[in-house]
Amino acid sequence: MPPASSAPTSPSNAVLLATSLLALAPALPAQEAKAQGPVWALQPTHVILPDGSTAEGQTVLVQGGRILGVGADLELPSGARRWKLDGVLAPGFVDAFSAYGTDAPAQEDSRALTPMLRAYDAVDLDGDDWGKLVEAGITSAHVLPEPNNIQSGWGALVASAGKDRMLVGRTRQVLSMVISRVGDPAFGPSSLAGAIELLQGADTARVPGVADRGVLAHVDDSAAIRAIREAVGKEVDTRWMMWGDAASYGGELRGQYAGMPIPGVGAWTPRGLETLKRLHKAGVKVCFGTWSPNGAAQPGDLRRAAATMSRLTGDPKAAMAAITSNAAAFIGSDQVGAIEKGRRADLVLWSAHPLDPSAQIRAVLIHGEAAHRVTDSE
Amino acid sequence: MALAFLAAVAGFAPTAASQEAADPGYQRTYTIHADACWLPGGRVVEPAFVTIDKGRIAGVSTRAPRERNTPFGVQKPTILRVEGTLAPAIVDAWSGLPMAGRDGGRRPLPQSRLAEDLPVLVAGADPGLAARVQALRNSGVGVVYLGRTDGNLQRGLGVVAGFSVDNLPYDMGGDWLDLSGAGAGGAAQIRAQDLKATFASAVALRDARDDFDEKLEKYEEDLKKYEEDFKKYLEEQKKAEKGGGKARAEDPKQDAKKDDKRPKRPKRPAPPKRNVAGDLILDAIDGKLPVRVQADSGAVVAAALDVAEEHHLKMLLVNAAGGTAHADRMADLGVGVVLDLSRQLAGDDALAQDFLAYSKAGVQVALGSGGRDLGPMMLTLAGELVAHGVDQQDVWAALTSTPAELLGLGGQAGALQGGAIGSMILFGGAHPFDASGVFRSHQPK
């Protein structure tokens, strides 16, 4: 017979351990969940490291919802509880530009410039979407204002479950140079030139918070990229959201973080695939999200897109980064997207590598607390 | 029963047109040295030396090919070293590869052969199509079934296609009669009735032809008798004239009307009207043409099985959603199924449950992309079936060896063995679905 999957074939032990571990979490007093809480030493079969590689024999120390350290030869603090876990411990996926989490689109149609709009105000923390994100291994989502205004407002990073879920209330100022969305034939702008003029007059770099937090620019051609660069200046940290045919302008984003919408069902085109491959080769740091100009992707599509990217580029690490560390950098957060010291303990235990579609989620920890566990019936 | 069906499928006589074997243009001979390869029956060879000769696998071995002494000196084999495990390319039994003539706006005639719409195998013949084929091949697909997607009951004749060195599809498996039972609810009931009525009409057509043949035979006998009788009649007339009897009237017609003794010429029976669509159904009934029925509902599945049983058809059901209640009957009749992998996009376990139900009943299950362009996602979606409880080897077989057998390509695709096409995938993970390792496709040169 061909070699069996690397997925452990008898998950019951792992499930038992994971479930036992998770059962502890809700029992922890709230105060202990802070810095003075118990230390857990998680010892899974494999850990996915920040560079996307997979390592054996690693210990992940967690205390108060944060990662204290990761390593093969860590000295365990006294009192640390050791948990051997059968499976692959991966960082929770980060939905870099999410279609979920709001009860209504975050937008303001009356003006072209709405820099003070906050996507967070539209977030529905009690909505059903969050549960679906958790079940897909997505532990945090970047909620954005609709890119219908040249200055569209502020994005927000929200945890998919747990307490204190608003991780970053203002991530980046969203700019949009996509004329099909910001254009208004009645009130203007009606052309890219008009949009550029408005952008230049808006003095984005002086919008409070932009200098510190940076911008996220929706673009669909080279002219839009140049206009954004000229308007906000080199000092402002800029991320890019790619629309349209990125093959025609993606080369200008070499070495930078850029979001790429997931094509819809059956919408992968040879050119689109080749574009993704070449953007990766050119050094563009791609990340994925569930929002798309053509409608929402499913939460599970995030992992599927990463698997497609892995096969396409032959670079599983980059594919993994596209839904974890690159996504965090795209947002501007050093709290999520990797298993490393100081970050939130947003962790998912998989039965095999998450890029293996036959892998199943065994447990999800968000900020060190149980968000999802696999029951026997599952 | 299943083996008998396989043997029957494998023995389909290709049409005259498809017997003109296309030359896919592969030229080179070389050996790929991989860490391992997956063989038919789930065996693994480590290390693996797969020799490709002009696009086909010449042999699989654990040893490197030797140098050969030729009149021109020692010939060293070309060996390419790769890391990973080799496996056969995917056989997409329900491809969405768009091509000219497939969805041209006008409804296709029932007799239109998709094989005739395939491009000429010349580099640059269809750059757009070649780009799509290249993308498919990069995703690990090596063979596709191409059928029309229009809504007619008789959609024409589909074709099994391989890919040339220039990434153009070529006919490698003969024609299939494509029947559509697409639609659900009331439409499905109508489709089911139409399906049965189509076969009943074809049988009636044959009966009418048989009846005509009998009538024609009788007509020819009657005509012969008439000619003899008329000859005798003329002789009697001549005798009567010589004997001083009444001479023949100047107008023979006038005379014949009055002459009751003159024999009457029999009428030639009218032949049945020409019916090309019916002829194709009759070819299927005669076992000359395999049948694919897209059945989107249990009603159409039941109707398709009725006609398969009544006429002993070589049949493949496509989609067969809602048809698991008929799985045992399908197995008894040797009817295989192509499930729509795009259903897995919903993320639930419905497709996995269907897969398990059909497999448990003994139905041969293949997976296809549902007439969509799933290319790069096929392996991911198939791998998700494993997460939902389907055996990994069963899923892999449903992408390779089973569709090859069901499409009549046994030995030519879906397995690494001598004579099979040289398109392969190379994976570095635990299995072909695993994207955490390196994945590459190999296309012969």
Side-chain angles (χ1 to χ4, degrees):
Chain A
M1 287 293 292
S5 163
S6 63
T9 50
S10 56
S12 56
N13 192 35
V15 172
L16 187 65
L17 282 169
T19 306
S20 306
L21 169 66
L22 295 169
L24 280 175
L28 293 171
Q31 292 80 1
E32 280 191 358
K34 303 297 178 187
Q36 289 78 28
V39 177
W40 295 341
L42 309 182
Q43 295 180 324
T45 315
H46 294 92
V47 172
I48 295 182
L49 300 176
D51 68 353
S53 63
T54 306
E56 286 183 79
Q58 300 284 309
T59 297
V60 180
L61 292 177
V62 174
Q63 185 183 37
R66 294 272 167 184
I67 296 169
L68 286 184
V70 185
D73 303 313
L74 286 182
E75 189 176 331
L76 301 190
S78 61
R81 301 192 65 172
R82 189 195 311 247
W83 295 95
K84 287 203 174 288
L85 303 172
D86 191 3
V88 179
L89 193 66
F93 298 153
V94 180
D95 188 351
F97 36 97
S98 184
Y100 297 97
T102 59
D103 51 6
Q107 62 181 359
E108 166 57 60
D109 292 334
S110 61
R111 285 172 292 171
L113 305 172
T114 57
M116 301 317 290
L117 187 145
R118 296 195 317 165
Y120 182 70
D121 293 332
V123 169
D124 176 13
L125 291 174
D126 300 322
D128 296 335
D129 292 347
W130 298 105
K132 294 174 187 168
L133 295 182
V134 172
E135 286 176 13
I138 299 169
T139 53
S140 56
H142 190 205
V143 182
L144 295 167
E146 288 292 311
N148 297 343
N149 311 71
I150 291 169
Q151 287 175 338
S152 300
W154 292 97
L157 180 62
V158 185
S160 302
K163 300 167 189 168
D164 303 327
R165 291 171 58 187
M166 209 271 279
L167 305 183
V168 184
R170 290 192 296 166
T171 55
R172 292 182 186 275
Q173 175 69 218
V174 175
L175 307 178
S176 177
M177 279 287 108
V178 179
I179 196 65
S180 63
R181 297 298 285 264
V182 300
D184 187 325
F187 302 103
S190 57
S191 66
L192 181 61
I196 291 172
E197 190 178 337
L198 273 170
L199 178 69
Q200 288 172 337
D203 203 1
T204 301
R206 290 187 169 225
V207 172
V210 163
D212 301 331
R213 302 166 193 271
V215 299
L216 193 169
H218 290 255
V219 293
D220 60 359
D221 62 22
S222 296
I225 292 173
R226 287 193 290 273
I228 294 280
R229 282 181 173 152
E230 193 176 323
V232 302
K234 290 180 181 176
E235 293 74 24
V236 175
D237 191 25
T238 304
R239 302 289 187 261
W240 306 94
M241 186 71 198
M242 297 184 290
W243 287 51
D245 183 13
S248 64
Y249 63 85
E252 296 203 27
L253 305 180
R254 190 183 300 265
Q256 299 187 46
Y257 291 93
M260 190 171 196
I262 300 170
V265 174
W268 285 101
T269 61
R271 187 175 173 86
L273 293 167
E274 191 63 25
T275 299
L276 176 56
K277 191 175 174 180
R278 291 187 183 229
L279 287 173
H280 169 262
K281 197 173 178 182
V284 178
K285 297 169 188 170
V286 173
C287 63
F288 295 117
T290 53
W291 182 89
S292 153
N294 303 315
Q298 295 180 50
D301 288 341
L302 210 59
R303 184 175 159 222
R304 289 170 176 159
T308 298
M309 181 177 173
S310 175
R311 291 199 185 93
L312 202 63
T313 60
D315 189 347
K317 293 179 186 175
M320 198 62 199
I323 53 175
T324 54
S325 56
N326 280 4
F330 177 84
I331 297 162
S333 169
D334 58 2
Q335 296 188 61
V336 296
I339 301 178
E340 69 181 355
K341 185 177 179 181
R343 300 218 182 205
R344 284 165 56 92
D346 290 352
L347 305 170
V348 181
L349 183 67
W350 295 84
S351 62
H353 195 288
L355 292 182
D356 177 352
S358 67
Q360 294 170 295
I361 289 179
R362 293 184 168 165
V364 179
L365 287 179
I366 294 182
H367 204 218
E369 295 190 5
H372 178 65
R373 71 185 63 170
V374 179
T375 63
D376 290 339
S377 62
E378 290 176 315
Chain B
M1 176 64 80
L3 284 175
F5 173 66
L6 282 182
V9 171
F12 283 152
T15 61
S18 66
Q19 282 174 341
E20 297 166 13
D23 178 6
Y26 299 108
Q27 298 295 328
R28 289 178 55 187
T29 301
Y30 53 95
T31 299
I32 300 174
H33 174 198
D35 297 336
C37 75
W38 283 19
L39 293 181
R43 288 187 299 128
V44 176
V45 166
E46 294 179 79
F49 293 87
V50 181
T51 300
I52 310 289
D53 180 33
K54 294 181 179 173
R56 295 267 172 175
I57 295 174
V60 180
S61 172
T62 55
R63 293 181 181 177
R66 295 177 181 173
E67 294 178 348
R68 289 194 303 168
N69 289 317
T70 71
F72 308 102
V74 176
Q75 187 179 10
K76 289 186 176 179
T78 303
I79 299 178
L80 310 173
R81 176 72 176 107
V82 294
E83 290 183 1
T85 302
L86 287 170
I90 295 168
V91 178
D92 185 353
W94 190 4
S95 174
L97 182 68
M99 50 181 296
R102 195 174 185 202
D103 298 298
R106 287 192 304 175
R107 290 190 167 187
L109 297 171
Q111 70 272 26
S112 56
R113 295 180 68 235
L114 201 56
E116 291 171 359
D117 290 327
L118 297 179
V120 179
L121 297 186
V122 175
D126 190 337
L129 179 61
R132 284 198 168 265
V133 169
Q134 179 68 70
L136 266 186
R137 299 184 89 179
N138 288 345
S139 307
V141 177
V143 175
V144 290
Y145 177 81
L146 301 172
R148 289 189 170 80
T149 55
D150 308 62
N152 296 1
L153 179 71
Q154 276 188 259
R155 290 176 167 176
L157 302 175
V159 64
V160 182
F163 301 129
S164 75
V165 71
D166 298 312
N167 295 315
L168 295 168
Y170 70 93
D171 178 4
M172 67 179 292
D175 295 328
W176 281 75
L177 178 63
D178 252 333
L179 301 177
S180 166
Q189 296 293 340
I190 293 169
R191 286 290 194 192
Q193 290 170 8
D194 285 352
L195 185 64
K196 286 185 168 185
T198 299
F199 278 82
S201 298
V203 171
L205 175 67
R206 170 165 286 170
D207 290 345
R209 284 178 179 165
D210 291 346
D211 191 36
F212 169 71
D213 290 343
E214 284 177 18
K215 286 180 179 173
L216 192 63
E217 201 173 323
K218 187 172 181 304
Y219 163 74
E220 283 168 356
E221 286 173 7
D222 290 347
L223 187 63
K224 203 171 177 182
K225 189 171 180 298
Y226 161 75
E227 286 169 350
E228 289 169 1
D229 290 349
F230 191 69
K231 203 172 175 182
K232 286 178 189 172
Y233 169 75
L234 288 178
E235 286 169 0
E236 284 171 8
Q237 286 286 311
K238 282 180 183 174
K239 281 179 189 174
E241 283 176 15
K242 285 180 183 175
K246 186 184 173 187
R248 291 179 68 191
E250 284 185 6
D251 182 359
K253 287 183 180 175
Q254 195 70 19
D255 191 39
K257 282 180 184 174
K258 293 174 182 173
D259 187 355
D260 293 338
K261 290 182 182 176
R262 182 188 175 101
K264 289 183 179 174
R265 185 185 178 91
K267 280 189 176 177
R268 183 184 170 84
K273 287 182 180 174
R274 191 164 177 266
N275 187 336
V276 179
D279 285 340
L280 291 170
I281 298 290
L282 289 174
D283 281 349
I285 291 174
D286 293 342
K288 297 175 187 170
L289 203 55
V291 182
R292 281 170 66 106
V293 181
Q294 181 179 334
D296 290 353
S297 65
V300 176
V301 170
L305 294 177
D306 285 347
V307 294
E309 186 171 16
E310 185 180 352
H311 302 292
H312 308 288
L313 301 179
K314 293 151 188 169
M315 180 181 282
L316 192 54
L317 285 181
V318 180
N319 193 8
T324 52
H326 306 283
D328 289 336
R329 196 171 166 218
M330 285 170 65
D332 290 343
L333 294 171
V335 173
V337 64
V338 181
L339 297 180
D340 177 2
L341 198 47
S342 71
R343 288 173 59 200
Q344 186 56 37
L345 288 164
D348 56 23
D349 67 346
L351 181 64
Q353 292 304 321
D354 280 3
F355 194 118
L356 290 168
Y358 283 122
S359 294
K360 190 178 175 186
V363 177
Q364 285 194 294
V365 180
L367 291 165
S369 51
R372 295 174 169 183
D373 193 1
L374 288 183
M377 294 187 73
M378 280 192 82
L379 283 170
T380 299
L381 297 175
E384 289 178 14
L385 294 179
V386 180
H388 287 300
V390 185
D391 181 76
Q392 178 190 296
Q393 282 300 311
D394 289 348
V395 177
W396 181 240
L399 287 173
T400 52
S401 56
T402 304
E405 289 170 3
L406 290 174
L407 294 173
L409 296 176
Q412 287 195 72
L416 296 186
Q417 59 188 29
I421 59 167
S423 294
M424 294 180 280
I425 62 170
L426 179 77
F427 59 91
H431 48 74
F433 311 113
D434 184 0
S436 69
V438 171
F439 173 90
R440 282 156 58 189
S441 69
H442 171 74
Q443 295 145 30
K445 299 287 185 285

